[in-house]
Amino acid sequence: MRLGAGDLYGAIAERLRVKHQLTIRVLPVDVMPDLLRRTDLHARQLQLSEMLDPASRVFGAAYQLAQIEARGEIDGLAKGAGFTDRDAERLYRRHLASYFAAALMMPYARFLRACEATGYDIELLQRRFGAGFEQVAHRLTTLQRIGARGLPFFLVRIDRAGQVSKRFSGASGSPLAESEGRCPLWRLHAAFDRPGVLAVQLIELEGGARWLTMARTVTPQGRRYGAVPAEFAVGLGVAAEHAGTLVVARGTRFEGGGHADRAWLPRMWARRLSAAIAAAGRSSIGDQRARARRERVYLWRGLRHDHGRGGKRFRGGSADTAGYPLSGRDADDHCPGGAARL
């Protein structure tokens, strides 16, 4: 594929037209009200919605190229995985095609060099490679080629109700990505209060592990005025021991008593609550009452506001704070709008 003047979209369009007899056509939203991309083999067209921004149009064209030119490799990987569930295989194939598209937009060696030269400056990487925030963040989790490894990032995407729609732990092994629940003090949840602003936070887990995290909101493509608003928060993080070269880490002390916000995962909340109850049982009546008042505040701040996780429930007139996290996943799915339940 010949790339002239940095026009990746034009190069992909030319390859699809010359080699595969497919043309790209951008259609009005009235023609494609419910779709952002579709392939019309009868008309030999890849049809894209006008609602897609430039980065998403490039990604859509690259995704189509992956489905044609990388079909053999994708078939081989899917067959080798030995899926018994067709839906799982379909999602796996989609993931591989998306990886191809991201790698075409952000070639591994050039992207890694840019990351190291800029201190993993996400905004600058967006501009340099013509990609969106989530596309760059996702690409950062894949830089683990032997002999040319980048930093081991993880990625989590949630909605306003705290429901996870995407997670990639990569080589990080971070419990922040792999755990079913998240601490409400993590600024990932507060990113919705400042849309489009990157929130950087150094957090420390109960075991002492520290993670430098970044969070920002993203809006799905194709939303029109008057439609139901949809918004997600994307969290990206790396272990503090690897974060010293990041541009967002300048001025941050990672060792020697540098400040970090404490954060707890659901099992950690349970241990702390159990320890508090046990300690209250060994103290005087007055101490127990004072501790109970403190624990009520602690539970209110820490559990009830855990972004849709069902931290406090009322059953038969009693407040059942054990619904989260002591009694397992005893929570309904919540509407991201926050006012209704699905």
Side-chain angles (χ1 to χ4, degrees):
M1 185 168 60
R2 300 174 64 182
L3 184 61
D7 183 12
L8 180 59
Y9 180 78
I12 296 175
E14 180 70 8
R15 187 173 183 89
L16 287 173
R17 184 184 66 83
V18 174
K19 190 171 182 179
H20 306 291
Q21 292 75 53
L22 275 177
T23 59
I24 298 178
R25 186 178 181 187
V26 179
L27 296 177
V29 66
D30 295 333
V31 178
M32 297 176 61
D34 302 317
L35 294 173
L36 296 176
R37 180 184 62 86
R38 71 182 176 193
T39 304
D40 187 339
L41 293 178
H42 179 73
R44 303 301 300 173
Q45 289 181 350
L46 169 62
Q47 299 172 346
L48 302 176
S49 172
E50 65 179 348
M51 298 299 292
L52 292 174
D53 62 20
S56 296
R57 293 184 187 185
V58 175
F59 187 87
Y63 185 91
Q64 181 65 50
L65 192 64
Q67 290 185 314
I68 298 174
E69 297 197 3
R71 177 179 297 176
E73 290 80 1
I74 292 175
D75 287 345
L77 290 170
K79 184 177 180 180
F83 288 102
T84 57
D85 187 294
R86 296 191 64 180
D87 289 337
E89 181 179 346
R90 177 177 53 82
L91 291 173
Y92 181 65
R93 289 175 177 274
R94 182 185 301 174
H95 172 75
L96 292 176
S98 296
Y99 180 87
F100 179 101
L104 191 57
M105 293 178 66
M106 295 166 275
Y108 193 100
R110 188 158 63 92
F111 185 73
L112 179 58
R113 287 196 301 269
C115 288
E116 294 173 343
T118 64
Y120 290 81
D121 188 329
I122 296 181
E123 184 173 353
L124 182 54
L125 293 171
Q126 287 181 246
R127 301 293 185 271
R128 185 169 298 183
F129 291 91
F133 177 84
E134 187 173 349
Q135 291 171 339
V136 171
H138 192 175
R139 185 60 169 149
L140 289 174
T141 67
T142 67
L143 301 179
Q144 294 301 306
R145 179 183 295 174
I146 296 175
R149 297 185 187 275
L151 297 183
F153 284 93
F154 71 83
L155 180 147
V156 177
R157 188 180 71 181
I158 65 170
D159 59 22
R160 280 186 174 270
Q163 299 170 132
V164 177
S165 55
K166 181 184 288 187
R167 73 171 87 223
F168 293 96
S169 59
S172 70
S174 174
L176 292 169
E178 297 176 351
S179 175
E180 287 299 323
R182 289 155 306 283
C183 178
L185 302 180
W186 188 10
R187 290 181 189 169
L188 172 67
H189 299 287
F192 295 103
D193 298 333
R194 301 183 67 191
V197 177
L198 187 68
V200 181
Q201 183 182 26
L202 178 63
I203 61 178
E204 181 178 335
L205 300 183
E206 188 181 46
R210 290 187 165 199
W211 299 85
L212 184 70
T213 66
M214 298 163 276
R216 208 202 80 172
T217 57
V218 295
T219 303
Q221 296 288 307
R223 188 178 73 177
R224 301 178 66 183
Y225 178 79
V228 177
E231 196 172 31
F232 297 96
V234 172
L236 186 69
V238 67
E241 62 195 71
H242 301 303
T245 60
L246 269 62
V247 66
V248 297
R250 293 175 182 172
T252 302
R253 292 179 57 194
F254 295 103
E255 298 178 355
H259 173 74
D261 296 326
R262 296 299 301 271
W264 293 272
L265 300 178
R267 61 180 180 276
M268 300 176 184
W269 286 110
R271 286 199 296 268
R272 287 177 63 85
L273 182 57
S274 298
I277 292 173
R282 295 192 297 268
S283 58
S284 66
I285 296 298
D287 289 341
Q288 289 183 36
R289 289 174 178 172
R291 186 179 296 275
R293 285 194 296 270
R294 289 196 298 271
E295 287 304 320
R296 281 197 294 271
V297 174
Y298 175 77
L299 286 170
W300 174 263
R301 294 177 61 190
L303 299 182
R304 182 173 176 82
H305 286 274
D306 191 14
H307 300 269
R309 292 288 299 178
K312 190 170 185 179
R313 293 167 178 267
F314 291 89
R315 296 173 181 161
S318 63
D320 179 14
T321 56
Y324 176 90
L326 300 183
S327 64
R329 296 193 63 184
D330 187 18
D332 301 322
D333 290 333
H334 298 275
C335 174
R341 287 192 173 188
L342 299 176

